[in-house]
Amino acid sequence: MLTNVPRWLRVLIPAIFIVAWLAGAAVGGPYFGKVSEVSSNDQTLYLPESADASVVQEKLSEFNDSDAIPAIVVIVGDDELDETQLGAITSTIDEAAELDVVAEQPSPPIPSEDGLAAQAFIPLDSEADTADAVAALDELLADGLDPSLSAYVTGPAGFSADLSSAFAGIDGLLLAVALAAVFLILIVVYRSLLLPFAVLATSVFALCVALLVVWWLAYAEILLLSGQTQGILFILVIGAATDYSLLYVARFREELRHTEHAWHATLKAWKGSVEPILASGGTVIAGLLCLLLSDLKSNSTLGPVASIGIVFAMFSALTFLPSVLYLLGRAAFWPRRPHYDADDQQDAAASTTGPWAAVARLVERRSRAVWLLTTIVLAFGAIGATQLQASGVPQSELVLGQSAARDGQEALGEHFPGGSGSPVYVLVDDTHVADAAGVLAEHEGLSSVTVTAQDSPSGTAPIDESGTIQEIAGASPEPTVIDGQVLLQATLTDAADSAEAESTVRDLRDQLADLEGETLVGGVTATAIDTNDTATHDRNLIIPIVLVVILLILMALLRSIVAPVLLVATTVLSFGTAMGVSALVFNHVFDFPGADPTVPLFGFIFLVALGIDYNIFLMTRVREESLKHGTRAGVLRGLRVTGGVITSAGVVLAATFAALSVLPILFLVQLAFIVAFGVLLDTFVVRSLLVPALVYDIGPKVWWPSKLSRREESAEESEKVSI
């Protein structure tokens, strides 16, 4: 047996684990600064290939022979622009063509009808860093224009630059805030100097190795990686690894009080921790892998990416941390070292002092009142979930705080058609061009329509209100035909990311669907529509599947049907309350413009999978105690002994997810609040009061149909007969 392992091997085994993790961290650490090389925030890459917007985007390069990212420069004056100002604007735009980041000749400045503004289209090199390219344009405009003029860079390039800048803090600020929060909490909880460093090292090493694997999978184009996925990976690994570490630390400290030798304490702690950690991690992984069923690639790719992180979080907590704590022994807890006393073998689960002993007494005396009251309160809070506006948000609202691109779009809408620079693209069979052009020309939501024509000097030809191609220099250009299709372009009267623009595109799709042949509508607005529709479909499909998968895992773990159903039901109720409170906060406190359809899905995945974690930690210990002392006594003993560690784990996880809010991305800020609040709710209410009170009230039947249930029922019957 391992208890008889020679002393030299007891040192060699943990040393090998520690060296292996140090080597993995040394190799993976430098990849923190290289993630941008293999990630992208382009929404069209994450749509299904069959989506209309994806098909149109794929065809665009064949018609335009360019994959440049359009930047819209909007210049606004306090008064009507004079000839001197217009001349300076023209010269500055011409100078932009000499910048390395500009892919093609910019368009000449176009004055607005009111004379107060001008706009120009500048194609940026898709290989260049968008944020750097926009910064170069900003600098050029600032140097070349009169200070009385306000210049903005907006359009796809401007908003892409905003996102890139917002995600720039992932490798530095996000990690620093998350790790600092975890470190401070560990100091307060354990009042130890060495232990927090051991736990943080466990989390950081797991993240380094996970990032190394994910980076190479993304480099090989096996996985898609975005800033959003990267941020969630970082937080999830740190939070999960810390949670698993806290569970092991609590078990190790408990064993040190009852075991003289650190090796024996390590073996017992590992044996007591491995099942709940693997079950917990496996549950989270199972929930995450359900995202593979998503049609939206930004969702489906998160499943394997985050699962890789959880795998290394489990392995690190079960190999690196036990090795470090064994070598440190009781010194790991200095200055509050747990001491072994052969004459004092007090059972921590039977303690009658402390806050968790008081909670256990409350559950014992008022179990039915406790679970009824908490259920009513949680159900009342869940009513607010009906107020969550999760149908999508405008692209201009994705980044919180100051945004030059958003200001530029507002200026654009004041002086030009709102959709300038972000046209609607329509692919139509060459035999039905006139019919499709007529539909576009007559629509009130469009201000102008053109057709791609290679023999036109500008590459396009205008279409009049009747749907007829207008003559240019006395000749009627012929539309460019590729694979029997023609590309039409239309300018929206409303901002491309507005609800009005989405309504226009949906209406166009309905009208064009009545024409003969295949007609597809793409562009920025169509991409947003297809993304939101796909996300809504994914949410409605995946949430029920996750519930079933987690329920089956719990049944296998607890050898019961009743207990898993109760745990899943209470976790879902907790999720509903978290969403209800979040909806009220988003709408009436933060005044957010809405939420992405994936916010409820991601919130559900993390809250249900991670919330079940704490129930697994509790119920596996309750079952262990029930085998020795009976179910009702087991509930109280399990609550007393796990109360502190699970609460600490919940606070740590909430703090790590809250760290996501340091990135000014609406989606991440909302997810941070939902998960942080939900985890605290689950930790302090559901796992501390609702679940123990329910299980205590139900008694042995909670284990039905396992042998444990039948054994206790038989014992109770025997007791009644003897009485």
Side-chain angles (χ1 to χ4, degrees), residues 69-74 121 130 134 152-162 395 404-406 408-409 412 420-422 496 524:
I69 303 174
I72 305 173
V73 174
V74 184
F121 302 97
T130 309
V134 170
Y152 309 94
V153 180
T154 186
F159 289 116
S160 178
D162 276 355
Q395 183 186 28
R406 186 188 305 125
Q409 180 168 284
L412 189 69
S420 298
S422 301
V524 172

Side-chain angles (χ1 to χ4, degrees), residues 161-186:
D162 276 355
L163 279 175
S164 296
S165 299
F167 281 120
I170 285 182
D171 290 342
L173 181 61
L174 177 61
L175 273 179
V177 171
L179 293 175
V182 171
F183 183 76
L184 291 175
I185 293 171
L186 293 176

Side-chain angles (χ1 to χ4, degrees), residues 275-615:
E275 184 179 20
I277 288 177
L278 291 179
S280 172
T283 303
V284 177
I285 290 172
L288 288 168
L289 290 181
C290 288
L291 290 173
L292 287 171
L293 299 172
S294 172
D295 288 332
L296 201 62
K297 294 178 184 176
S298 56
N299 291 348
S300 62
T301 194
L302 175 64
V305 168
S307 296
I308 290 170
I310 295 295
V311 167
F312 286 108
M314 289 191 298
F315 285 170
S316 183
L318 288 172
T319 56
F320 175 78
L321 182 64
S323 300
V324 171
L325 293 187
Y326 164 67
L327 294 179
L328 290 174
R330 289 176 170 80
F333 298 90
W334 183 85
R336 297 167 57 88
R337 302 185 185 190
H339 297 287
Y340 169 71
D341 186 346
D343 298 326
D344 181 13
Q345 294 295 307
Q346 183 180 359
D347 188 354
S351 174
T352 57
T353 60
W356 293 106
V359 173
R361 287 194 295 271
L362 174 64
V363 169
E364 182 180 17
R365 295 170 183 172
R366 298 284 188 269
S367 60
R368 186 161 299 178
V370 168
W371 74 257
L372 281 174
L373 180 60
T374 52
T375 299
I376 292 170
V377 172
L378 291 173
F380 182 77
I383 295 174
T386 58
Q387 303 301 310
L388 185 67
Q389 303 166 14
S391 57
V393 293
Q395 183 186 28
S396 57
E397 301 291 347
L398 293 179
V399 177
L400 300 174
Q402 182 63 31
S403 168
R406 186 188 305 125
D407 295 341
Q409 180 168 284
E410 292 176 359
L412 189 69
E414 291 176 6
H415 304 284
F416 298 92
S420 298
S422 301
V424 173
Y425 295 106
V426 178
L427 273 178
V428 60
D429 291 347
D430 59 343
T431 54
H432 302 290
V433 175
D435 294 335
V439 170
L440 298 177
E442 293 175 1
H443 203 286
E444 295 180 354
L446 303 175
S447 63
S448 63
V449 183
T450 61
V451 62
T452 302
Q454 291 181 346
D455 54 352
S456 169
S458 63
T460 61
I463 293 177
D464 61 24
E465 295 180 357
S466 66
T468 304
I469 300 176
Q470 297 181 4
E471 293 185 356
I472 298 177
S476 180
E478 287 295 323
T480 301
V481 180
I482 297 178
D483 297 331
Q485 293 179 310
V486 171
L487 179 67
L488 300 173
Q489 299 182 41
T491 301
L492 292 157
T493 56
D494 301 294
D497 63 350
S498 65
E500 294 79 7
E502 289 193 8
S503 178
T504 295
V505 171
R506 289 187 186 275
D507 187 42
L508 284 175
R509 283 179 166 176
D510 290 340
Q511 293 187 39
L512 293 171
D514 295 333
L515 301 180
E516 295 183 11
E518 184 181 42
T519 304
L520 302 177
V521 180
V524 172
T525 310
T527 298
I529 290 173
D530 290 347
T531 300
N532 290 335
D533 289 350
T534 304
T536 302
H537 167 269
D538 291 345
R539 181 183 67 201
N540 297 338
L541 170 69
I542 293 173
I543 286 178
I545 294 176
V546 171
L547 285 177
V548 172
V549 169
I550 290 179
L551 184 62
L552 294 175
I553 292 175
L554 289 177
M555 287 179 179
L557 175 67
L558 299 177
R559 291 89 158 172
S560 165
I561 293 177
V562 176
V565 170
L566 289 178
L567 295 183
V568 170
T570 56
T571 304
V572 170
L573 178 60
S574 175
F575 166 73
T577 306
M579 295 305 298
V581 173
S582 297
L584 297 177
V585 172
F586 294 165
N587 295 341
H588 304 294
V589 178
F590 296 144
D591 195 26
F592 287 151
D596 191 273
T598 56
V599 166
L601 175 60
F602 281 18
F604 179 85
I605 293 292
F606 294 129
L607 278 183
V608 171
L610 296 172
I612 285 293
D613 268 9
Y614 301 130
N615 284 328

